[in-house]
């Protein structure tokens, strides 16, 4: 089967959650034996996080001749800014589902399909859903990544990215017969918005990595620099970490990823180490047994939670970070908003190595089961053709 994936975001370098998700999906499809092409909507500088030259170097290295580029110039970027301002003034910041649609891309897809003959097309984000109104590719699916209806109210963040109204998100989703939700809560919501579409709860898949027990009093947080991560980290540093330090004065927190670039001099605690950009995640996760995900706002897939489990780590999180996860009753993630409960749990694992080993086994079992479920969902999609 030949599949075309369409995205406004690159897969490389995989320094953001959405890039990691798309890359995980691509790797899974390759394992399933499919031939994958990637169509990237290329826009002006500043639209992507990271060095533009490095992005294209890594994209070309990974994709080779399977990378297809559709370019939009300065006018498109100007138009997006203009329409965003108009919506902010006249529509409470809610964009229309086709406001950021790159007109002309449907003709480009038609042209490449004439020669490559795709069996399936998978589009990322509702803002590209208009493609389905034109595409003749037999099997169509949309990866939602998140739900965006009234996201400003849901998260409390004014000007939330791609925030729209329920009728506009419904209009976009109803164009596609197959919808991929990233958690169970979203799956329920999308079924209400698009009753005739088939909903697949695909979470994500993760490679299980073997890791040794480290045995130190260190916490790890690997994160991009979006606002939700910053809010979550502030909550952890203000509400949770002081109690942990009171019980374990030698406890350090290593922070890695793009979030370091915006923290700068705001971090003065000598127990906190800013590692910066992380080239090798495996090396970063080898630093400690315990990973935190304090994200307390936002929607979509909490990829940092599952990533920690895939490395066989003890994952401690804000309860929000496990909302809508696969089999929540079996998810081996500690969650709480109470400082005393964080301290008590750390005390139990740092004084009981057998408990750490037991949780590592549960991590592996949970990720393996979720992977099998996700593969089953994708098979259901591909068998529908």
């Amino acid at each position: 089967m030949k599949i075309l994936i369409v995205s406004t975001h690159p897969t490389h370098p995989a320094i953001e959650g959405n890039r990691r998700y798309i890359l995980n999906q691509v790797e899974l499809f390759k394992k399933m034996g499919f031939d994958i092409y990637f169509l990237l909507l290329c826009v002006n500088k500043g639209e992507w996080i990271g060095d533009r030259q490095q992005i294209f170097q890594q994209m070309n290295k990974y994709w080779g001749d399977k990378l297809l580029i559709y370019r939009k110039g300065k006018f498109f970027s100007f138009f997006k800014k203009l329409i965003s301002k108009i919506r902010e003034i006249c529509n409470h910041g809610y964009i229309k589902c086709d406001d950021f649609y790159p007109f002309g891309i449907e003709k480009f897809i038609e042209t490449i399909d004439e020669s490559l003959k795709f069996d399936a097309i998978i589009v990322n984000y509702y803002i590209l859903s208009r493609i389905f109104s034109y595409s003749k590719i037999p099997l169509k699916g949309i990866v939602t990544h998140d739900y965006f209806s009234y996201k400003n109210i849901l998260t409390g963040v004014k000007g939330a990215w791609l925030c729209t109204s329920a009728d506009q998100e419904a209009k976009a989703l109803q164009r596609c017969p197959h919808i991929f939700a990233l958690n169970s809560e979203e799956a329920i919501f999308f079924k209400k918005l698009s009753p005739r579409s088939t909903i697949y709860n695909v979470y994500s898949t993760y490679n299980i990595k073997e890791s040794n027990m480290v045995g130190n009093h260190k916490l790890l947080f690997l994160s991009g620099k979006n606002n939700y991560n910053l809010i979550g980290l502030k909550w952890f540093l203000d509400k949770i970490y002081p109690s942990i330090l009171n019980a374990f004065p030698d406890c350090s927190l290593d922070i890695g990823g793009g979030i370091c670039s915006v923290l700068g001099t705001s971090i003065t605690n000598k127990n906190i180490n800013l590692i910066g950009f992380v080239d090798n995640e495996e090396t970063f996760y080898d630093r400690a047994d315990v990973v935190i995900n304090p994200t307390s706002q936002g929607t979509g897939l909490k990829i940092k939670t599952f990533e920690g489990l895939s490395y066989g780590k003890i994952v401690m999180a804000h309860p929000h970070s496990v909302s809508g996860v696969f089999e929540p009753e079996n998810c081996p993630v500690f969650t709480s908003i109470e400082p005393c409960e964080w301290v008590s749990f750390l005390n139990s694992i740092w004084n009981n190595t057998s408990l750490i080993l037991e949780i590592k086994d549960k991590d592996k079992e949970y990720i393996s089961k979720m992977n099998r479920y996700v593969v089953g969902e994708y098979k259901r999609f591909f068998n529908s053709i």
Side-chain angles (χ1 to χ4, degrees), residues 5 7-27 38 40 46-52 54-56 58-59 62-63 124-125 143 145 161 182 204 225 277 281 301 303 307:
I5 294 178
S7 175
T8 57
H9 289 75
T11 54
H12 293 75
I15 56 175
E16 297 179 282
N18 54 3
R19 296 186 193 183
R20 292 183 193 180
Y21 177 83
I22 298 169
L23 184 58
N24 284 351
Q25 185 189 62
V26 168
E27 292 291 339
F38 191 82
L40 177 64
E47 295 272 355
W48 298 328
I49 293 176
D51 179 76
R52 193 177 180 86
Q54 183 188 45
I55 288 172
F56 279 108
Q58 293 193 28
M59 289 292 288
Y62 180 84
W63 287 101
N124 287 273
Y125 290 105
V143 179
H145 287 275
W161 185 57
L182 272 59
S204 187
K225 61 181 181 180
F277 181 77
E281 290 180 2
L301 179 71
I303 200 164
E307 197 171 69

Side-chain angles (χ1 to χ4, degrees), residues 70 72 76 79 98-106 130 134:
Y70 182 72
K72 297 295 285 187
F76 182 64
F79 177 78
D98 295 328
D99 278 352
F100 299 157
Y101 179 74
F103 285 93
I105 195 172
E106 66 282 349
R130 193 181 180 98
Y134 304 97

Side-chain angles (χ1 to χ4, degrees), residues 117-148:
K117 304 297 182 186
F118 294 108
D119 300 296
I121 179 172
I122 295 176
V123 168
N124 287 273
Y125 290 105
Y126 78 91
I127 56 172
L128 295 180
S129 65
R130 193 181 180 98
I131 288 172
F132 298 121
S133 300
Y134 304 97
S135 177
K136 297 178 182 178
I137 298 172
L139 189 57
K140 303 174 178 68
I142 186 168
V143 179
T144 53
H145 287 275
D146 209 337
Y147 53 84
F148 295 92

Side-chain angles (χ1 to χ4, degrees), residues 43 61 117 137 142 193 206 213 215 230 256 266 271 292 349:
V43 290
K61 182 179 179 181
K117 304 297 182 186
I137 298 172
I142 186 168
L193 291 187
Y206 298 85
M213 188 173 65
L230 289 166
S266 64
N271 289 66
I292 67 166
I349 60 170

Side-chain angles (χ1 to χ4, degrees), residues 110-249:
E110 181 183 351
T111 301
I112 59 176
D113 183 46
E114 286 175 358
S115 59
L116 293 172
K117 304 297 182 186
F118 294 108
D119 300 296
I121 179 172
I122 295 176
V123 168
N124 287 273
Y125 290 105
Y126 78 91
I127 56 172
L128 295 180
S129 65
R130 193 181 180 98
I131 288 172
F132 298 121
S133 300
Y134 304 97
S135 177
K136 297 178 182 178
I137 298 172
L139 189 57
K140 303 174 178 68
I142 186 168
V143 179
T144 53
H145 287 275
D146 209 337
Y147 53 84
F148 295 92
S149 298
Y150 312 115
K151 194 173 181 182
N152 58 337
I153 299 173
L154 184 66
T155 62
V157 176
K158 185 180 180 181
W161 185 57
L162 298 185
C163 178
T164 190
S165 57
D167 64 317
Q168 286 296 308
E169 191 163 17
K171 177 182 176 181
L173 296 181
Q174 288 174 20
R175 291 167 170 164
C176 187
H178 302 280
I179 299 172
F180 300 125
L182 272 59
N183 67 52
S184 57
E185 292 181 354
E186 291 176 5
I188 295 169
F189 182 62
F190 294 144
K191 190 62 180 176
K192 293 182 183 298
L193 291 187
S194 188
R196 291 195 176 103
S197 300
T198 302
I199 314 296
Y200 304 84
N201 204 343
V202 293
Y203 303 104
S204 187
T205 56
Y206 298 85
N207 294 323
I208 297 173
K209 298 93 174 175
E210 297 294 335
S211 62
N212 297 320
M213 188 173 65
V214 182
N216 59 9
H217 288 181
K218 186 187 288 290
L219 309 175
L220 303 175
F221 182 47
L222 181 61
S223 171
K225 61 181 181 180
N226 77 50
N227 197 45
Y228 302 129
N229 295 332
L230 289 166
I231 292 170
L233 179 61
K234 185 178 186 305
W235 168 80
F236 177 78
L237 295 180
D238 290 347
K239 305 296 184 182
I240 305 296
Y241 197 43
S243 296
I244 294 175
L245 285 178
N246 187 52
F248 303 97

